[in-house]
Amino acid sequence: MGVSLTQAAAQRVKTMLEKRGKGIGLRVGTKVSGCAGFAYVVDYVDEAAQDDQVFENFGVDVYVDAKSLKNIEGLEIDYVKESLLNEGFEFRNPNIKDECGCGESFTV
C-alpha cells in the first residue's frame, strides 16, 4: 500500500522543490504529539536515510521512516485550495481510530 500523493499534491511538491532549488522528494512521518497521540511531520528530503521506504507518485518520491510507516500505511495526501487564504495538504489515513477536536493529532 505505502503512502500516495494525488496528482495535485505531487504537482505542489514539484513546484515547491523547484522554488527551493534543491531536494529529492517529500518526507512524511509521525511524531508523538497532541491530545490524541500522533501528528504528521512533513518536510523536504535532501538526502535519504538508511531506513527510509520510498514511494513514487506522479514523478515525486515520498520518503517514510520505518517507525512512522506503521501509523500511516495506506495514507493518501491531497493538496486542496479552498480559497486564496485556505490551502494546504489534506491527509486521508485509513488507520485513524480517533482524532482530537482540533484535528491536529490522531490515534491509530
Side-chain angles (χ1 to χ4, degrees):
M1 288 176 71
V3 173
S4 64
L5 301 174
T6 64
Q7 191 167 1
Q11 186 56 52
R12 179 64 176 177
V13 172
K14 286 180 187 178
T15 299
M16 296 310 293
L17 286 171
E18 288 172 10
K19 283 184 180 180
R20 190 173 179 257
K22 64 179 180 174
I24 59 173
L26 184 72
R27 176 170 305 285
V28 180
T30 58
K31 66 178 182 176
V32 175
S33 181
C35 52
F38 294 100
Y40 296 107
V41 178
V42 179
D43 200 358
Y44 298 106
V45 179
D46 293 326
E47 187 176 310
Q50 189 171 359
D51 73 337
D52 281 341
Q53 297 286 321
V54 183
F55 306 97
E56 189 273 331
N57 295 268
F58 300 102
V60 174
D61 288 334
V62 179
Y63 294 78
V64 181
D65 66 274
K67 188 175 178 182
S68 293
L69 188 57
K70 66 182 180 182
N71 296 328
I72 59 174
E73 180 77 38
L75 175 70
E76 179 185 61
I77 303 170
D78 195 6
Y79 182 75
V80 294
K81 187 171 184 177
E82 297 173 5
S83 69
L84 289 174
L85 299 175
N86 191 11
E87 62 183 280
F89 290 113
E90 183 176 282
F91 301 92
R92 299 178 191 129
N93 187 343
N95 303 301
I96 291 178
K97 304 274 189 265
D98 196 18
E99 291 181 286
C100 67
C102 64
E104 294 297 318
S105 63
F106 60 92
T107 303
V108 292

